[in-house]
Amino acid sequence: MSDALPTVTDRAAFQAELDELRVREKALTREADAIAAARRRLPMVEVDAGLTVTGENGPVTLLEAFEGRRQLIAYYFMWHDGHPAAEQCEGCTWCNGAVGELSYLHSRDITYAVFCQGPYDESRRYRDFMGWTMPWYSAADSREKLLEGRKVGQMYLVCYLRDGDRVFETYWTTMRGVEVMDNSYHLMDLTAYGRQEDHEDSPAGWPQKWSWSKVEHILGANGRPIAQWSRIEAGRSDQL
């Protein structure tokens, strides 16, 4: 049985309904701008600039992870110690797979880096398996202090600002808040069938095979994160 289809209409009627939706889209854009403005006015909390994370050349301080820039965005990558690539976090793989070109962030004096919550050598092999190039650190030894007041082991996106040698945390989010990193979902949301996930509010008959509990996992396929299959087909080993 084929999937249901949107109602067919003429160009004028289509444009009229699109124009009506555009009013709501513009309101959402203005509200997002207002929220961003409020975010820029949040207070900040000081973080110990001397806390260390482990990178390619050994331990570095949080301050050094800024790479000389004024701001730092750190993604706290979930990690399952000793597990192969197929069993690492689908959500963190999805989010960081969308991070490619960093020059635009750098132009605004912002460094982006991953602070993995697992050991450096093992997790760095995962970065290499995926073919990512962003700065990669292990925050395993300092994550309790860096994530003070939050549950260790979850995904987080944290923003920092430095004032000389002092470091401050200015914003953080988790769970669906990290969707801000993604482009695939935003593009899917523009299509007739959307994300095709079973929690979406879609008309009857719309395809919705993707679920946290079904065979086609929301972010995985055939037992591993979707983005890994091209790496496997290229002959890369996922034994970390």
Side-chain angles (χ1 to χ4, degrees):
M1 181 178 178
S2 62
D3 296 318
L5 298 169
T7 302
V8 177
T9 189
D10 59 33
R11 171 62 64 176
F14 167 73
Q15 191 60 49
E17 293 214 26
L18 183 57
D19 289 344
E20 185 176 341
L21 181 63
R22 194 78 75 210
V23 173
R24 297 175 63 190
E25 289 180 333
K26 289 181 177 180
L28 178 61
T29 298
R30 289 191 290 271
E31 178 62 12
D33 288 344
I35 290 172
R39 192 180 292 118
R40 292 191 293 272
R41 289 165 172 79
L42 286 172
M44 60 186 183
V45 60
E46 188 162 9
V47 181
D48 182 355
L51 290 172
T52 59
V53 293
T54 301
E56 183 176 7
N57 298 314
V60 300
T61 65
L62 177 60
L63 182 64
E64 289 171 322
F66 278 71
E67 297 182 343
R69 299 186 180 91
R70 188 74 189 279
Q71 297 186 88
L72 168 67
I73 299 173
Y75 183 95
Y76 284 80
F77 202 109
M78 295 172 62
W79 192 255
H80 304 297
D81 289 359
H83 290 237
E87 298 173 15
Q88 297 302 332
C89 179
E90 297 98 334
C92 295
T93 301
W94 156 68
C95 289
N96 285 278
V99 178
E101 183 58 67
L102 297 177
S103 61
Y104 296 101
L105 291 175
H106 294 171
S107 74
R108 268 59 168 188
D109 214 14
I110 301 167
T111 291
Y112 176 87
V114 169
F115 284 9
C116 186
Q117 298 179 65
Y120 178 76
D121 289 342
E122 187 178 298
S123 66
R124 168 60 189 268
R125 285 193 285 272
Y126 187 69
R127 189 197 83 153
D128 294 343
F129 165 73
M130 292 303 300
W132 298 334
T133 59
M134 76 281 283
W136 190 278
Y137 301 94
S138 167
D141 293 336
S142 55
R143 60 184 186 173
E144 284 81 7
K145 292 182 178 178
L146 286 166
L147 294 173
E148 181 181 356
R150 286 153 287 194
K151 181 181 178 181
V152 169
Q154 290 187 176
M155 61 177 70
Y156 292 99
L157 196 59
V158 183
C159 296
Y160 299 98
L161 172 69
R162 71 178 181 89
D163 182 20
D165 292 338
R166 300 174 70 189
V167 173
F168 300 87
E169 184 177 327
T170 62
Y171 178 76
W172 70 271
T173 188
T174 187
M175 305 305 287
R176 289 197 65 182
V178 303
E179 283 186 17
V180 69
M181 299 173 64
D182 178 61
N183 50 41
S184 296
Y185 262 178
H186 295 302
L187 291 172
M188 290 178 195
D189 285 340
L190 301 180
T191 69
Y193 291 143
R195 304 181 186 190
Q196 301 174 49
E197 296 174 2
D198 62 358
H199 63 85
E200 287 181 286
D201 180 5
S202 294
W206 256 228
Q208 291 187 307
K209 70 175 184 176
W210 298 88
S211 169
W212 288 111
S213 58
K214 296 179 182 177
V215 174
E216 297 293 359
H217 188 281
I218 283 179
L219 302 174
N222 300 319
R224 67 171 62 241
I226 293 168
Q228 291 184 3
W229 283 110
S230 61
R231 280 74 175 178
I232 294 296
E233 291 166 0
R236 300 181 190 174
S237 172
D238 65 356
Q239 295 305 309
L240 305 176

